[in-house]
Amino acid sequence: MSKAVFYHAGCPVCVSAERGVAEALDPGKYEVEIVHLGEQKGRLAEAEAAGVKSVPALVLNGQTYHINFGASIEDLR
Amino acid sequence: MSKAVFYHAGCPVCVSAERGVAEALDPGKYEVEIVHLGEQKGRLAEAEAAGVKSVPALVLNGQTYHINFGASIEDLR
């Protein structure tokens, strides 16, 4: 089981990506953690270290995938 | 079973998104079709109608998700 982290900020684009992509991942392969960076600012550094530039973003297997564009991570600090 | 279509153009960003996201989708829920728009130009109109502006992009449940940025669809014509 791999861990996947979906970072978002509650924006409409984020909600769409969460429902569409994060919830479509194979539950037999991935344990998906959903992190709201607007509410969990303590996770911002970790997200930035993973290469997250904007939300929504999905980090899995060490790769960061930005899915459409909701907000820049700069604006969440 | 829902159909998901992953559009790409063979670029490195596309390959990463295909391996990372398209292959991570729940095979119990989604049948994933992989379309190389550089080689299947006949599918460009369909991709554009679905709202695909750049590749790689994933279309599922009527929503289009652009994953990172590999190439503009304008450059694939």
Side-chain angles (χ1 to χ4, degrees), chain A residues 16-26 67-68, chain B residues 1-7 21-22 24-26 29-33 50 52 57-67:
Chain A
S16 166
E18 181 180 339
R19 295 209 179 126
V21 181
E23 293 181 3
L25 297 181
D26 185 349
I67 302 169
N68 291 339
Chain B
M1 189 74 95
S2 297
K3 187 164 175 192
V5 186
F6 179 79
Y7 294 100
V21 181
L25 297 181
D26 185 350
K29 280 189 195 162
Y30 295 97
E31 184 190 349
V32 184
E33 184 189 11
V52 174
L58 182 67
V59 177
L60 78 177
N61 294 332
Q63 298 290 313
T64 297
Y65 302 101
H66 300 93
I67 302 169

PDB file of all heavy atoms in Angstrom, chain A residues 16-26 67-68, chain B residues 1-7 21-22 24-26 29-33 50 52 57-67:
ATOM      1  N   SER A  16     -13.653  19.679  -6.924  1.00  0.00           N
ATOM      2  CA  SER A  16     -13.857  18.888  -8.132  1.00  0.00           C
ATOM      3  C   SER A  16     -12.745  17.861  -8.302  1.00  0.00           C
ATOM      4  O   SER A  16     -12.991  16.698  -8.613  1.00  0.00           O
ATOM      5  CB  SER A  16     -13.911  19.819  -9.347  1.00  0.00           C
ATOM      6  OG  SER A  16     -13.781  19.072 -10.536  1.00  0.00           O
ATOM      7  N   ALA A  17     -11.508  18.276  -8.079  1.00  0.00           N
ATOM      8  CA  ALA A  17     -10.377  17.352  -8.244  1.00  0.00           C
ATOM      9  C   ALA A  17     -10.389  16.280  -7.172  1.00  0.00           C
ATOM     10  O   ALA A  17     -10.013  15.131  -7.417  1.00  0.00           O
ATOM     11  CB  ALA A  17      -9.057  18.126  -8.206  1.00  0.00           C
ATOM     12  N   GLU A  18     -10.820  16.647  -5.977  1.00  0.00           N
ATOM     13  CA  GLU A  18     -10.884  15.648  -4.902  1.00  0.00           C
ATOM     14  C   GLU A  18     -11.914  14.582  -5.262  1.00  0.00           C
ATOM     15  O   GLU A  18     -11.631  13.392  -5.193  1.00  0.00           O
ATOM     16  CB  GLU A  18     -11.261  16.332  -3.580  1.00  0.00           C
ATOM     17  CG  GLU A  18     -11.319  15.342  -2.426  1.00  0.00           C
ATOM     18  CD  GLU A  18     -11.687  16.002  -1.095  1.00  0.00           C
ATOM     19  OE1 GLU A  18     -11.514  17.228  -0.969  1.00  0.00           O
ATOM     20  OE2 GLU A  18     -12.160  15.272  -0.205  1.00  0.00           O
ATOM     21  N   ARG A  19     -13.092  15.043  -5.667  1.00  0.00           N
ATOM     22  CA  ARG A  19     -14.151  14.082  -6.007  1.00  0.00           C
ATOM     23  C   ARG A  19     -13.780  13.284  -7.243  1.00  0.00           C
ATOM     24  O   ARG A  19     -14.066  12.103  -7.341  1.00  0.00           O
ATOM     25  CB  ARG A  19     -15.467  14.825  -6.266  1.00  0.00           C
ATOM     26  CG  ARG A  19     -15.947  15.496  -4.997  1.00  0.00           C
ATOM     27  CD  ARG A  19     -17.470  15.628  -4.939  1.00  0.00           C
ATOM     28  NE  ARG A  19     -17.836  16.262  -3.682  1.00  0.00           N
ATOM     29  CZ  ARG A  19     -18.586  17.350  -3.559  1.00  0.00           C
ATOM     30  NH1 ARG A  19     -19.106  17.910  -4.643  1.00  0.00           N
ATOM     31  NH2 ARG A  19     -18.863  17.862  -2.382  1.00  0.00           N
ATOM     32  N   GLY A  20     -13.157  13.965  -8.202  1.00  0.00           N
ATOM     33  CA  GLY A  20     -12.873  13.289  -9.458  1.00  0.00           C
ATOM     34  C   GLY A  20     -11.657  12.398  -9.392  1.00  0.00           C
ATOM     35  O   GLY A  20     -11.730  11.208  -9.711  1.00  0.00           O
ATOM     36  N   VAL A  21     -10.541  12.962  -8.993  1.00  0.00           N
ATOM     37  CA  VAL A  21      -9.282  12.213  -9.097  1.00  0.00           C
ATOM     38  C   VAL A  21      -8.913  11.497  -7.798  1.00  0.00           C
ATOM     39  O   VAL A  21      -8.667  10.292  -7.800  1.00  0.00           O
ATOM     40  CB  VAL A  21      -8.126  13.139  -9.550  1.00  0.00           C
ATOM     41  CG1 VAL A  21      -6.829  12.342  -9.686  1.00  0.00           C
ATOM     42  CG2 VAL A  21      -8.472  13.811 -10.882  1.00  0.00           C
ATOM     43  N   ALA A  22      -8.889  12.235  -6.682  1.00  0.00           N
ATOM     44  CA  ALA A  22      -8.434  11.606  -5.437  1.00  0.00           C
ATOM     45  C   ALA A  22      -9.315  10.408  -5.082  1.00  0.00           C
ATOM     46  O   ALA A  22      -8.823   9.359  -4.656  1.00  0.00           O
ATOM     47  CB  ALA A  22      -8.406  12.631  -4.303  1.00  0.00           C
ATOM     48  N   GLU A  23     -10.614  10.545  -5.302  1.00  0.00           N
ATOM     49  CA  GLU A  23     -11.515   9.448  -4.947  1.00  0.00           C
ATOM     50  C   GLU A  23     -11.553   8.351  -6.008  1.00  0.00           C
ATOM     51  O   GLU A  23     -12.178   7.319  -5.795  1.00  0.00           O
ATOM     52  CB  GLU A  23     -12.932   9.989  -4.693  1.00  0.00           C
ATOM     53  CG  GLU A  23     -12.973  10.856  -3.448  1.00  0.00           C
ATOM     54  CD  GLU A  23     -14.351  11.413  -3.127  1.00  0.00           C
ATOM     55  OE1 GLU A  23     -15.321  11.098  -3.836  1.00  0.00           O
ATOM     56  OE2 GLU A  23     -14.449  12.184  -2.157  1.00  0.00           O
ATOM     57  N   ALA A  24     -10.888   8.587  -7.135  1.00  0.00           N
ATOM     58  CA  ALA A  24     -10.865   7.579  -8.198  1.00  0.00           C
ATOM     59  C   ALA A  24      -9.644   6.662  -8.093  1.00  0.00           C
ATOM     60  O   ALA A  24      -9.520   5.703  -8.838  1.00  0.00           O
ATOM     61  CB  ALA A  24     -10.864   8.268  -9.565  1.00  0.00           C
ATOM     62  N   LEU A  25      -8.749   6.979  -7.158  1.00  0.00           N
ATOM     63  CA  LEU A  25      -7.540   6.158  -7.042  1.00  0.00           C
ATOM     64  C   LEU A  25      -7.890   4.771  -6.503  1.00  0.00           C
ATOM     65  O   LEU A  25      -8.824   4.604  -5.729  1.00  0.00           O
ATOM     66  CB  LEU A  25      -6.527   6.838  -6.113  1.00  0.00           C
ATOM     67  CG  LEU A  25      -5.990   8.190  -6.588  1.00  0.00           C
ATOM     68  CD1 LEU A  25      -4.984   8.739  -5.578  1.00  0.00           C
ATOM     69  CD2 LEU A  25      -5.345   8.082  -7.963  1.00  0.00           C
ATOM     70  N   ASP A  26      -7.096   3.819  -6.923  1.00  0.00           N
ATOM     71  CA  ASP A  26      -7.304   2.419  -6.553  1.00  0.00           C
ATOM     72  C   ASP A  26      -7.126   2.238  -5.038  1.00  0.00           C
ATOM     73  O   ASP A  26      -6.015   2.367  -4.524  1.00  0.00           O
ATOM     74  CB  ASP A  26      -6.272   1.574  -7.312  1.00  0.00           C
ATOM     75  CG  ASP A  26      -6.486   0.087  -7.098  1.00  0.00           C
ATOM     76  OD1 ASP A  26      -7.281  -0.285  -6.217  1.00  0.00           O
ATOM     77  OD2 ASP A  26      -5.840  -0.693  -7.828  1.00  0.00           O
ATOM     78  N   ILE A  67      -3.209  19.483 -10.403  1.00  0.00           N
ATOM     79  CA  ILE A  67      -4.427  19.145 -11.155  1.00  0.00           C
ATOM     80  C   ILE A  67      -5.251  20.413 -11.339  1.00  0.00           C
ATOM     81  O   ILE A  67      -5.779  20.968 -10.377  1.00  0.00           O
ATOM     82  CB  ILE A  67      -5.237  18.077 -10.402  1.00  0.00           C
ATOM     83  CG1 ILE A  67      -4.377  16.829 -10.189  1.00  0.00           C
ATOM     84  CG2 ILE A  67      -6.516  17.740 -11.163  1.00  0.00           C
ATOM     85  CD1 ILE A  67      -4.981  15.827  -9.235  1.00  0.00           C
ATOM     86  N   ASN A  68      -5.319  20.879 -12.571  1.00  0.00           N
ATOM     87  CA  ASN A  68      -5.942  22.173 -12.851  1.00  0.00           C
ATOM     88  C   ASN A  68      -5.317  23.227 -11.924  1.00  0.00           C
ATOM     89  O   ASN A  68      -4.217  23.017 -11.403  1.00  0.00           O
ATOM     90  CB  ASN A  68      -7.473  22.109 -12.736  1.00  0.00           C
ATOM     91  CG  ASN A  68      -8.091  21.277 -13.855  1.00  0.00           C
ATOM     92  OD1 ASN A  68      -7.471  21.078 -14.900  1.00  0.00           O
ATOM     93  ND2 ASN A  68      -9.287  20.771 -13.646  1.00  0.00           N
TER      94      ASN A  68
ATOM     95  N   MET B   1     -19.136   0.557 -14.404  1.00  0.00           N
ATOM     96  CA  MET B   1     -17.788   0.918 -14.874  1.00  0.00           C
ATOM     97  C   MET B   1     -17.866   2.227 -15.656  1.00  0.00           C
ATOM     98  O   MET B   1     -18.651   2.351 -16.591  1.00  0.00           O
ATOM     99  CB  MET B   1     -17.250  -0.216 -15.759  1.00  0.00           C
ATOM    100  CG  MET B   1     -15.798  -0.065 -16.136  1.00  0.00           C
ATOM    101  SD  MET B   1     -14.682  -0.427 -14.762  1.00  0.00           S
ATOM    102  CE  MET B   1     -14.299  -2.150 -15.078  1.00  0.00           C
ATOM    103  N   SER B   2     -17.063   3.191 -15.281  1.00  0.00           N
ATOM    104  CA  SER B   2     -17.017   4.458 -15.996  1.00  0.00           C
ATOM    105  C   SER B   2     -15.808   4.453 -16.917  1.00  0.00           C
ATOM    106  O   SER B   2     -14.830   3.749 -16.681  1.00  0.00           O
ATOM    107  CB  SER B   2     -16.865   5.629 -15.027  1.00  0.00           C
ATOM    108  OG  SER B   2     -17.967   5.715 -14.176  1.00  0.00           O
ATOM    109  N   LYS B   3     -15.922   5.269 -17.942  1.00  0.00           N
ATOM    110  CA  LYS B   3     -14.792   5.382 -18.849  1.00  0.00           C
ATOM    111  C   LYS B   3     -13.985   6.624 -18.500  1.00  0.00           C
ATOM    112  O   LYS B   3     -14.547   7.691 -18.246  1.00  0.00           O
ATOM    113  CB  LYS B   3     -15.310   5.485 -20.289  1.00  0.00           C
ATOM    114  CG  LYS B   3     -14.175   5.431 -21.266  1.00  0.00           C
ATOM    115  CD  LYS B   3     -14.632   5.133 -22.670  1.00  0.00           C
ATOM    116  CE  LYS B   3     -13.421   5.218 -23.592  1.00  0.00           C
ATOM    117  NZ  LYS B   3     -13.816   5.209 -24.993  1.00  0.00           N
ATOM    118  N   ALA B   4     -12.676   6.469 -18.479  1.00  0.00           N
ATOM    119  CA  ALA B   4     -11.780   7.607 -18.280  1.00  0.00           C
ATOM    120  C   ALA B   4     -10.880   7.665 -19.501  1.00  0.00           C
ATOM    121  O   ALA B   4     -10.473   6.626 -20.026  1.00  0.00           O
ATOM    122  CB  ALA B   4     -10.946   7.410 -17.021  1.00  0.00           C
ATOM    123  N   VAL B   5     -10.618   8.867 -19.977  1.00  0.00           N
ATOM    124  CA  VAL B   5      -9.723   9.007 -21.128  1.00  0.00           C
ATOM    125  C   VAL B   5      -8.538   9.871 -20.714  1.00  0.00           C
ATOM    126  O   VAL B   5      -8.716  10.975 -20.186  1.00  0.00           O
ATOM    127  CB  VAL B   5     -10.431   9.643 -22.345  1.00  0.00           C
ATOM    128  CG1 VAL B   5      -9.498   9.629 -23.557  1.00  0.00           C
ATOM    129  CG2 VAL B   5     -11.714   8.901 -22.669  1.00  0.00           C
ATOM    130  N   PHE B   6      -7.345   9.332 -20.921  1.00  0.00           N
ATOM    131  CA  PHE B   6      -6.119  10.062 -20.609  1.00  0.00           C
ATOM    132  C   PHE B   6      -5.501  10.489 -21.933  1.00  0.00           C
ATOM    133  O   PHE B   6      -5.108   9.653 -22.745  1.00  0.00           O
ATOM    134  CB  PHE B   6      -5.164   9.149 -19.828  1.00  0.00           C
ATOM    135  CG  PHE B   6      -3.859   9.790 -19.485  1.00  0.00           C
ATOM    136  CD1 PHE B   6      -3.763  10.677 -18.418  1.00  0.00           C
ATOM    137  CD2 PHE B   6      -2.721   9.519 -20.227  1.00  0.00           C
ATOM    138  CE1 PHE B   6      -2.553  11.287 -18.101  1.00  0.00           C
ATOM    139  CE2 PHE B   6      -1.514  10.123 -19.919  1.00  0.00           C
ATOM    140  CZ  PHE B   6      -1.433  11.008 -18.851  1.00  0.00           C
ATOM    141  N   TYR B   7      -5.445  11.812 -22.151  1.00  0.00           N
ATOM    142  CA  TYR B   7      -4.873  12.351 -23.383  1.00  0.00           C
ATOM    143  C   TYR B   7      -3.434  12.766 -23.128  1.00  0.00           C
ATOM    144  O   TYR B   7      -3.150  13.444 -22.129  1.00  0.00           O
ATOM    145  CB  TYR B   7      -5.665  13.586 -23.847  1.00  0.00           C
ATOM    146  CG  TYR B   7      -7.081  13.283 -24.270  1.00  0.00           C
ATOM    147  CD1 TYR B   7      -8.141  13.525 -23.413  1.00  0.00           C
ATOM    148  CD2 TYR B   7      -7.345  12.766 -25.534  1.00  0.00           C
ATOM    149  CE1 TYR B   7      -9.459  13.261 -23.806  1.00  0.00           C
ATOM    150  CE2 TYR B   7      -8.652  12.494 -25.926  1.00  0.00           C
ATOM    151  CZ  TYR B   7      -9.698  12.750 -25.065  1.00  0.00           C
ATOM    152  OH  TYR B   7     -10.987  12.480 -25.455  1.00  0.00           O
ATOM    153  N   VAL B  21      -0.710   8.839 -12.389  1.00  0.00           N
ATOM    154  CA  VAL B  21      -2.128   9.047 -12.105  1.00  0.00           C
ATOM    155  C   VAL B  21      -3.027   8.086 -12.872  1.00  0.00           C
ATOM    156  O   VAL B  21      -3.857   7.402 -12.282  1.00  0.00           O
ATOM    157  CB  VAL B  21      -2.545  10.513 -12.392  1.00  0.00           C
ATOM    158  CG1 VAL B  21      -4.017  10.722 -12.069  1.00  0.00           C
ATOM    159  CG2 VAL B  21      -1.688  11.474 -11.575  1.00  0.00           C
ATOM    160  N   ALA B  22      -2.851   8.005 -14.191  1.00  0.00           N
ATOM    161  CA  ALA B  22      -3.764   7.168 -14.980  1.00  0.00           C
ATOM    162  C   ALA B  22      -3.714   5.712 -14.512  1.00  0.00           C
ATOM    163  O   ALA B  22      -4.738   5.047 -14.408  1.00  0.00           O
ATOM    164  CB  ALA B  22      -3.441   7.280 -16.471  1.00  0.00           C
ATOM    165  N   ALA B  24      -3.019   4.733 -11.588  1.00  0.00           N
ATOM    166  CA  ALA B  24      -3.392   4.622 -10.176  1.00  0.00           C
ATOM    167  C   ALA B  24      -4.903   4.592  -9.980  1.00  0.00           C
ATOM    168  O   ALA B  24      -5.377   4.394  -8.868  1.00  0.00           O
ATOM    169  CB  ALA B  24      -2.802   5.794  -9.389  1.00  0.00           C
ATOM    170  N   LEU B  25      -5.643   4.789 -11.076  1.00  0.00           N
ATOM    171  CA  LEU B  25      -7.105   4.803 -10.947  1.00  0.00           C
ATOM    172  C   LEU B  25      -7.633   3.411 -10.610  1.00  0.00           C
ATOM    173  O   LEU B  25      -7.063   2.396 -11.016  1.00  0.00           O
ATOM    174  CB  LEU B  25      -7.748   5.316 -12.250  1.00  0.00           C
ATOM    175  CG  LEU B  25      -7.413   6.750 -12.624  1.00  0.00           C
ATOM    176  CD1 LEU B  25      -8.129   7.124 -13.923  1.00  0.00           C
ATOM    177  CD2 LEU B  25      -7.784   7.740 -11.529  1.00  0.00           C
ATOM    178  N   ASP B  26      -8.709   3.405  -9.879  1.00  0.00           N
ATOM    179  CA  ASP B  26      -9.327   2.170  -9.433  1.00  0.00           C
ATOM    180  C   ASP B  26      -9.829   1.354 -10.634  1.00  0.00           C
ATOM    181  O   ASP B  26     -10.780   1.766 -11.305  1.00  0.00           O
ATOM    182  CB  ASP B  26     -10.506   2.533  -8.518  1.00  0.00           C
ATOM    183  CG  ASP B  26     -11.158   1.313  -7.888  1.00  0.00           C
ATOM    184  OD1 ASP B  26     -10.829   0.185  -8.296  1.00  0.00           O
ATOM    185  OD2 ASP B  26     -11.987   1.500  -6.992  1.00  0.00           O
ATOM    186  N   LYS B  29     -13.486   0.607 -10.944  1.00  0.00           N
ATOM    187  CA  LYS B  29     -14.431   1.684 -11.245  1.00  0.00           C
ATOM    188  C   LYS B  29     -14.234   2.264 -12.639  1.00  0.00           C
ATOM    189  O   LYS B  29     -15.178   2.748 -13.248  1.00  0.00           O
ATOM    190  CB  LYS B  29     -14.233   2.848 -10.270  1.00  0.00           C
ATOM    191  CG  LYS B  29     -14.855   2.686  -8.922  1.00  0.00           C
ATOM    192  CD  LYS B  29     -14.736   4.043  -8.188  1.00  0.00           C
ATOM    193  CE  LYS B  29     -14.998   3.947  -6.719  1.00  0.00           C
ATOM    194  NZ  LYS B  29     -14.468   5.148  -6.022  1.00  0.00           N
ATOM    195  N   TYR B  30     -12.982   2.284 -13.096  1.00  0.00           N
ATOM    196  CA  TYR B  30     -12.687   2.989 -14.343  1.00  0.00           C
ATOM    197  C   TYR B  30     -11.986   2.116 -15.373  1.00  0.00           C
ATOM    198  O   TYR B  30     -11.034   1.391 -15.046  1.00  0.00           O
ATOM    199  CB  TYR B  30     -11.800   4.216 -14.072  1.00  0.00           C
ATOM    200  CG  TYR B  30     -12.506   5.244 -13.250  1.00  0.00           C
ATOM    201  CD1 TYR B  30     -12.302   5.299 -11.876  1.00  0.00           C
ATOM    202  CD2 TYR B  30     -13.416   6.121 -13.831  1.00  0.00           C
ATOM    203  CE1 TYR B  30     -12.991   6.228 -11.097  1.00  0.00           C
ATOM    204  CE2 TYR B  30     -14.096   7.042 -13.061  1.00  0.00           C
ATOM    205  CZ  TYR B  30     -13.882   7.091 -11.700  1.00  0.00           C
ATOM    206  OH  TYR B  30     -14.560   7.999 -10.936  1.00  0.00           O
ATOM    207  N   GLU B  31     -12.472   2.248 -16.584  1.00  0.00           N
ATOM    208  CA  GLU B  31     -11.781   1.665 -17.722  1.00  0.00           C
ATOM    209  C   GLU B  31     -11.041   2.837 -18.364  1.00  0.00           C
ATOM    210  O   GLU B  31     -11.665   3.805 -18.794  1.00  0.00           O
ATOM    211  CB  GLU B  31     -12.808   1.090 -18.700  1.00  0.00           C
ATOM    212  CG  GLU B  31     -12.188   0.378 -19.883  1.00  0.00           C
ATOM    213  CD  GLU B  31     -13.253   0.045 -20.934  1.00  0.00           C
ATOM    214  OE1 GLU B  31     -14.451   0.178 -20.624  1.00  0.00           O
ATOM    215  OE2 GLU B  31     -12.868  -0.338 -22.055  1.00  0.00           O
ATOM    216  N   VAL B  32      -9.723   2.770 -18.377  1.00  0.00           N
ATOM    217  CA  VAL B  32      -8.930   3.910 -18.819  1.00  0.00           C
ATOM    218  C   VAL B  32      -8.449   3.711 -20.251  1.00  0.00           C
ATOM    219  O   VAL B  32      -7.797   2.705 -20.560  1.00  0.00           O
ATOM    220  CB  VAL B  32      -7.695   4.124 -17.898  1.00  0.00           C
ATOM    221  CG1 VAL B  32      -6.941   5.375 -18.319  1.00  0.00           C
ATOM    222  CG2 VAL B  32      -8.115   4.228 -16.435  1.00  0.00           C
ATOM    223  N   GLU B  33      -8.790   4.655 -21.101  1.00  0.00           N
ATOM    224  CA  GLU B  33      -8.286   4.639 -22.470  1.00  0.00           C
ATOM    225  C   GLU B  33      -7.173   5.670 -22.568  1.00  0.00           C
ATOM    226  O   GLU B  33      -7.321   6.800 -22.097  1.00  0.00           O
ATOM    227  CB  GLU B  33      -9.400   5.006 -23.465  1.00  0.00           C
ATOM    228  CG  GLU B  33      -8.924   4.892 -24.915  1.00  0.00           C
ATOM    229  CD  GLU B  33      -9.915   5.451 -25.934  1.00  0.00           C
ATOM    230  OE1 GLU B  33     -10.875   6.118 -25.534  1.00  0.00           O
ATOM    231  OE2 GLU B  33      -9.704   5.213 -27.126  1.00  0.00           O
ATOM    232  N   ALA B  50     -14.138  18.313 -25.030  1.00  0.00           N
ATOM    233  CA  ALA B  50     -14.203  17.952 -23.612  1.00  0.00           C
ATOM    234  C   ALA B  50     -13.522  19.000 -22.737  1.00  0.00           C
ATOM    235  O   ALA B  50     -13.500  18.877 -21.515  1.00  0.00           O
ATOM    236  CB  ALA B  50     -13.551  16.582 -23.398  1.00  0.00           C
ATOM    237  N   VAL B  52     -10.222  19.999 -23.090  1.00  0.00           N
ATOM    238  CA  VAL B  52      -8.787  19.786 -22.929  1.00  0.00           C
ATOM    239  C   VAL B  52      -8.022  20.940 -23.572  1.00  0.00           C
ATOM    240  O   VAL B  52      -8.190  21.209 -24.761  1.00  0.00           O
ATOM    241  CB  VAL B  52      -8.341  18.436 -23.542  1.00  0.00           C
ATOM    242  CG1 VAL B  52      -6.832  18.278 -23.494  1.00  0.00           C
ATOM    243  CG2 VAL B  52      -9.017  17.275 -22.823  1.00  0.00           C
ATOM    244  N   ALA B  57      -3.890  15.306 -19.844  1.00  0.00           N
ATOM    245  CA  ALA B  57      -5.196  15.614 -19.265  1.00  0.00           C
ATOM    246  C   ALA B  57      -5.995  14.325 -19.113  1.00  0.00           C
ATOM    247  O   ALA B  57      -5.841  13.394 -19.907  1.00  0.00           O
ATOM    248  CB  ALA B  57      -5.958  16.590 -20.153  1.00  0.00           C
ATOM    249  N   LEU B  58      -6.794  14.331 -18.085  1.00  0.00           N
ATOM    250  CA  LEU B  58      -7.618  13.157 -17.792  1.00  0.00           C
ATOM    251  C   LEU B  58      -9.072  13.611 -17.802  1.00  0.00           C
ATOM    252  O   LEU B  58      -9.426  14.584 -17.140  1.00  0.00           O
ATOM    253  CB  LEU B  58      -7.235  12.642 -16.403  1.00  0.00           C
ATOM    254  CG  LEU B  58      -7.931  11.397 -15.878  1.00  0.00           C
ATOM    255  CD1 LEU B  58      -7.534  10.170 -16.685  1.00  0.00           C
ATOM    256  CD2 LEU B  58      -7.562  11.187 -14.407  1.00  0.00           C
ATOM    257  N   VAL B  59      -9.886  12.932 -18.592  1.00  0.00           N
ATOM    258  CA  VAL B  59     -11.308  13.246 -18.629  1.00  0.00           C
ATOM    259  C   VAL B  59     -12.058  12.094 -17.978  1.00  0.00           C
ATOM    260  O   VAL B  59     -11.935  10.945 -18.431  1.00  0.00           O
ATOM    261  CB  VAL B  59     -11.806  13.459 -20.082  1.00  0.00           C
ATOM    262  CG1 VAL B  59     -13.314  13.713 -20.105  1.00  0.00           C
ATOM    263  CG2 VAL B  59     -11.074  14.642 -20.724  1.00  0.00           C
ATOM    264  N   LEU B  60     -12.746  12.396 -16.894  1.00  0.00           N
ATOM    265  CA  LEU B  60     -13.575  11.347 -16.303  1.00  0.00           C
ATOM    266  C   LEU B  60     -14.813  11.948 -15.680  1.00  0.00           C
ATOM    267  O   LEU B  60     -14.770  13.047 -15.149  1.00  0.00           O
ATOM    268  CB  LEU B  60     -12.798  10.432 -15.351  1.00  0.00           C
ATOM    269  CG  LEU B  60     -12.416  10.786 -13.953  1.00  0.00           C
ATOM    270  CD1 LEU B  60     -11.708   9.604 -13.286  1.00  0.00           C
ATOM    271  CD2 LEU B  60     -11.502  11.968 -13.923  1.00  0.00           C
ATOM    272  N   ASN B  61     -15.898  11.221 -15.830  1.00  0.00           N
ATOM    273  CA  ASN B  61     -17.213  11.680 -15.353  1.00  0.00           C
ATOM    274  C   ASN B  61     -17.552  13.083 -15.849  1.00  0.00           C
ATOM    275  O   ASN B  61     -18.092  13.905 -15.111  1.00  0.00           O
ATOM    276  CB  ASN B  61     -17.248  11.637 -13.816  1.00  0.00           C
ATOM    277  CG  ASN B  61     -17.162  10.218 -13.293  1.00  0.00           C
ATOM    278  OD1 ASN B  61     -17.584   9.275 -13.958  1.00  0.00           O
ATOM    279  ND2 ASN B  61     -16.591  10.054 -12.112  1.00  0.00           N
ATOM    280  N   GLY B  62     -17.187  13.364 -17.084  1.00  0.00           N
ATOM    281  CA  GLY B  62     -17.550  14.646 -17.676  1.00  0.00           C
ATOM    282  C   GLY B  62     -16.690  15.815 -17.228  1.00  0.00           C
ATOM    283  O   GLY B  62     -16.926  16.953 -17.622  1.00  0.00           O
ATOM    284  N   GLN B  63     -15.691  15.559 -16.400  1.00  0.00           N
ATOM    285  CA  GLN B  63     -14.809  16.624 -15.939  1.00  0.00           C
ATOM    286  C   GLN B  63     -13.435  16.445 -16.574  1.00  0.00           C
ATOM    287  O   GLN B  63     -12.992  15.313 -16.806  1.00  0.00           O
ATOM    288  CB  GLN B  63     -14.636  16.564 -14.416  1.00  0.00           C
ATOM    289  CG  GLN B  63     -15.926  16.763 -13.641  1.00  0.00           C
ATOM    290  CD  GLN B  63     -16.436  18.189 -13.732  1.00  0.00           C
ATOM    291  OE1 GLN B  63     -15.684  19.139 -13.561  1.00  0.00           O
ATOM    292  NE2 GLN B  63     -17.712  18.338 -14.031  1.00  0.00           N
ATOM    293  N   THR B  64     -12.778  17.567 -16.843  1.00  0.00           N
ATOM    294  CA  THR B  64     -11.440  17.509 -17.421  1.00  0.00           C
ATOM    295  C   THR B  64     -10.426  18.002 -16.409  1.00  0.00           C
ATOM    296  O   THR B  64     -10.576  19.086 -15.844  1.00  0.00           O
ATOM    297  CB  THR B  64     -11.381  18.369 -18.694  1.00  0.00           C
ATOM    298  OG1 THR B  64     -12.289  17.807 -19.644  1.00  0.00           O
ATOM    299  CG2 THR B  64      -9.983  18.362 -19.294  1.00  0.00           C
ATOM    300  N   TYR B  65      -9.418  17.180 -16.185  1.00  0.00           N
ATOM    301  CA  TYR B  65      -8.369  17.512 -15.225  1.00  0.00           C
ATOM    302  C   TYR B  65      -7.041  17.603 -15.963  1.00  0.00           C
ATOM    303  O   TYR B  65      -6.555  16.604 -16.503  1.00  0.00           O
ATOM    304  CB  TYR B  65      -8.294  16.439 -14.137  1.00  0.00           C
ATOM    305  CG  TYR B  65      -9.599  16.280 -13.402  1.00  0.00           C
ATOM    306  CD1 TYR B  65     -10.456  15.230 -13.691  1.00  0.00           C
ATOM    307  CD2 TYR B  65      -9.992  17.211 -12.447  1.00  0.00           C
ATOM    308  CE1 TYR B  65     -11.679  15.100 -13.043  1.00  0.00           C
ATOM    309  CE2 TYR B  65     -11.220  17.085 -11.785  1.00  0.00           C
ATOM    310  CZ  TYR B  65     -12.047  16.033 -12.092  1.00  0.00           C
ATOM    311  OH  TYR B  65     -13.254  15.905 -11.460  1.00  0.00           O
ATOM    312  N   HIS B  66      -6.473  18.809 -15.993  1.00  0.00           N
ATOM    313  CA  HIS B  66      -5.149  18.985 -16.580  1.00  0.00           C
ATOM    314  C   HIS B  66      -4.139  18.661 -15.495  1.00  0.00           C
ATOM    315  O   HIS B  66      -4.233  19.192 -14.384  1.00  0.00           O
ATOM    316  CB  HIS B  66      -4.975  20.425 -17.059  1.00  0.00           C
ATOM    317  CG  HIS B  66      -5.984  20.795 -18.104  1.00  0.00           C
ATOM    318  ND1 HIS B  66      -7.193  21.393 -17.794  1.00  0.00           N
ATOM    319  CD2 HIS B  66      -5.984  20.617 -19.447  1.00  0.00           C
ATOM    320  CE1 HIS B  66      -7.887  21.570 -18.909  1.00  0.00           C
ATOM    321  NE2 HIS B  66      -7.188  21.104 -19.930  1.00  0.00           N
ATOM    322  N   ILE B  67      -3.206  17.801 -15.801  1.00  0.00           N
ATOM    323  CA  ILE B  67      -2.242  17.339 -14.801  1.00  0.00           C
ATOM    324  C   ILE B  67      -0.866  17.867 -15.172  1.00  0.00           C
ATOM    325  O   ILE B  67      -0.277  17.451 -16.183  1.00  0.00           O
ATOM    326  CB  ILE B  67      -2.247  15.798 -14.738  1.00  0.00           C
ATOM    327  CG1 ILE B  67      -3.660  15.298 -14.404  1.00  0.00           C
ATOM    328  CG2 ILE B  67      -1.238  15.308 -13.717  1.00  0.00           C
ATOM    329  CD1 ILE B  67      -3.835  13.807 -14.568  1.00  0.00           C
TER     330      ILE B  67
END
